[in-house]
Every structure is written in C-alpha cells, then in structure tokens.
Amino acid sequence: MTAQQVDLTAPFGGRTLPNPLTTASGCAGYGRELAKFVPLDALGSVTTKTIMPYARSGRATPRMAETPSGMLNSIGLQGAGIAHFVRNELPWLAERGARVLVSIAGERLEEFAEVAEQLNGQPGVIGLEVNISCPNVADRGLVFARNPATSYDVVRAVRRVADAELPVYAKLSPDVTSITEIAAACVQAGADGLSMINTTLGMAIDPVTMRPALAGITGGLSGPAIRPIAVRCVHQVHAEMLAGRIPQVPILAMGGLRTGLDALEFTLAGASGVAVGTTLFNDPAAPLRILDELRSELAARGFATYTDAVGYAHRPATS
C-alpha cells in the first residue's frame, strides 16, 4: 500500500471531513495569516481563536514567554467580539472554502448561549468548540472546566440554542482532578465531541528582572512539553468510552503536535481528529507536511484508512 492510497476521511460530530487535521484555537487567528502558507480548504477544518460576545483587549504585556519545549501565554482571549466575526471574518473564510469550527466562550452561561445562537445558519460554520476553561464571574471566578456541574451547565446551555445539526465540542482542561468525570458530564449535557487538551497552567520567572516573565503571573503552557499529558488524557477518556462509562463521541486531540508521528500517537490513543497549534508559530506550513507524514505513517503500518487506526492502542496485545 502506498501513502497516497490511505483514506484520511475522519468523523466530526455526525458528519465526515476530508482529513482529521485542524488548527488549535488561538494559534492561527481567524485564518488570514495562515492562508498565506496553507490553502484553508486543504485542512479538515479551521478552528478560530475564541470568540466572545463583546470586544476584549486581553491582558497586559508581556503576554508570552518561551519555555523548554514549549511556550507560556497569557493573552486573555483578546478579540473583536461576535458581531465583528460574523460580519468580517466568516464571509472571508467561507469564500476560501474553509470548514470553520468556531471556538466560543463567555464569563456567564448566558454569554456562551448568546454567541452560539448568533452562529446558527452562518456560512462555513461546521461546529462549535466550547472553551469552558474560562473564569465564571458568577461563581467567584472559578473556572467552568474544573467542575463537572458547571461544565455540564455550559454545554447544556449551548446545545439548547445551537442548530441541531451543528456539532458541539467541549474543550477540556487538564488541570482537573479527573478529566474523565468532566468528559462524562459534558457528553451527558449533549456534547457531540470532546476537544482535549487545553493548555495547562504554568509559570516562568525572568532571571534578569527576577520577576514573573508574564504580566499575568501565570499562563497556559503549550507545545511538545505537554504532549504526553494530552496523550494520557485522550487514552483515559477513550478507555472510558470503550468500557461504556461514557457514551462514545469523537475526540479532537491537541497538545504539542509537530509531526505525522505525533498525529498517529494521538489517533492510536483514541482521537479521531488532531489539531496543530504552537508549531504554527515557527512553521506555518506545518499542516500540509503533517498530513503527508501521517499518510506515510499509516501506510507503513498497513492501515488503509485513518479511522482504522483510531483507538488501536486499546486492543489487547498479541503474542
């Protein structure tokens, strides 16, 4: 079997995409910069930076810091808001044939629902990624994603107002006691899929100033350093699905993906889609390279289709 014979078609919610690769939210903006390097319609989908109901300036600078095998960011969900996105960004993406997974967030349940409702019927939108790793201002600023009940409430609120045919993915945080418990709550609330993982909380201190490197003190750690954590999370959640303790839904995996071999590792753990994020900052053409490498890695192992490899690591070992 040659690499070109491998079928990369991948499931997404209740539909299929031409390949499993998307961008990780926040790493390619709304796609304009990435389009200079990669035809957006060549990707399975394009995930936008997180959209909120209103314009947001984000946190004070410095907001990014390099770390060994990764980076810290404390951007603060900077953006122009849902009205600007629908008016200016979505038409541009639709013209280029992009299949758009829109990342949404809010500081209250009502704000998540407000953004979701405004995306109904919009051209090019194929799904919603609910970024529940946001502080809940109505609950002392506690992060939605760290509590099964609040995670459930957010996903439920979005699912109630979103078009029935529009898949809703819940984006999970690794900074929890039990990611399987959060995953189960999200699926019970109506999530059609799970995105995992978001960044994990980290910190760096500048040895010159001897002060925190980020103005916000802490930030989200991304890049290759977190990939083993992401693989563990995907494997754990997929195992619970196989055991029947969580209804089976597609998993979109992210966290330090740089190569086709990384994409294969996530797939074997149980992911049926993968996202490239931090790598785009130094290699914006990476998506097409990763897809080619993934085809070769699948062919080398005798997989005729991408879906044949999903969850393969869970099969009993053979002597």
Side-chain angles (χ1 to χ4, degrees):
M1 180 191 307
T2 67
Q4 294 308 312
Q5 292 176 309
V6 175
D7 179 4
L8 287 185
T9 300
F12 179 80
R15 61 185 294 175
T16 58
L17 297 177
N19 64 67
L21 191 68
T22 188
T23 55
S25 175
C27 297
Y30 302 123
R32 291 182 185 268
E33 297 88 352
L34 186 63
K36 300 174 184 177
F37 303 92
V38 178
L40 299 184
D41 60 354
L43 306 182
S45 61
V46 174
T47 306
T48 68
K49 66 186 300 184
T50 299
I51 314 295
M52 298 187 78
Y54 39 78
R56 186 181 177 100
S57 60
R59 291 186 176 173
T61 58
R63 304 195 292 188
M64 299 178 73
E66 290 188 48
T67 66
S69 298
M71 60 174 276
L72 288 166
N73 89 82
S74 181
I75 306 300
L77 298 179
Q78 175 185 343
I82 184 63
H84 168 88
F85 177 72
V86 169
R87 183 174 59 251
N88 299 294
E89 306 298 341
L90 262 182
W92 182 89
L93 286 162
E95 287 173 3
R96 282 147 187 82
R99 292 164 288 272
V100 187
L101 176 58
V102 185
S103 174
I104 67 172
E107 294 181 310
R108 297 177 176 84
L109 288 178
E110 298 80 10
E111 292 181 354
F112 280 92
E114 177 187 341
V115 177
E117 198 162 20
Q118 293 189 54
L119 291 165
N120 287 339
Q122 294 296 337
V125 177
I126 64 163
L128 306 177
E129 182 179 78
V130 186
N131 182 0
I132 55 178
S133 298
C134 300
N136 178 1
V137 297
D139 189 16
R140 306 184 308 281
L142 299 178
V143 175
F144 289 102
R146 293 180 186 169
N147 183 296
T150 54
S151 297
Y152 177 98
D153 289 343
V154 172
V155 174
R156 188 65 175 164
V158 171
R159 185 65 278 173
R160 280 175 173 165
V161 301
D163 282 344
E165 68 274 12
L166 206 60
V168 171
Y169 275 54
K171 188 168 186 179
L172 308 186
S173 168
D175 295 334
V176 294
T177 303
S178 171
I179 197 165
T180 55
E181 187 177 358
I182 305 296
C186 290
V187 176
Q188 289 164 7
D192 304 286
L194 301 170
S195 294
M196 62 176 72
I197 56 172
N198 210 325
T199 56
T200 184
L201 197 62
M203 180 180 176
I205 294 178
D206 187 328
V208 177
T209 64
M210 296 184 287
R211 302 289 300 163
L214 299 174
I217 311 299
T218 61
L221 178 65
S222 63
I226 72 166
R227 193 174 69 250
I229 299 173
V231 172
R232 180 266 298 175
C233 289
V234 171
H235 191 274
Q236 282 184 322
V237 171
H238 189 70
E240 291 294 288
M241 292 178 181
L242 293 176
R245 289 185 284 270
I246 299 176
Q248 292 202 30
V249 297
I251 295 174
L252 175 59
M254 61 208 67
L257 189 151
R258 292 182 297 175
T259 69
L261 196 60
D262 296 340
L264 176 64
E265 184 179 19
F266 276 127
T267 304
L268 297 174
S272 54
V274 293
V276 56
T278 302
T279 293
L280 294 173
F281 292 118
N282 73 303
D283 184 8
L288 297 184
R289 171 182 56 78
I290 291 170
L291 282 173
D292 285 342
E293 292 173 352
L294 177 58
R295 281 192 184 93
S296 296
E297 299 293 353
L298 290 166
R301 291 159 180 80
F303 291 112
T305 71
Y306 172 76
T307 54
D308 287 343
V310 174
Y312 196 88
H314 294 265
R315 299 190 182 188
T318 56
S319 55

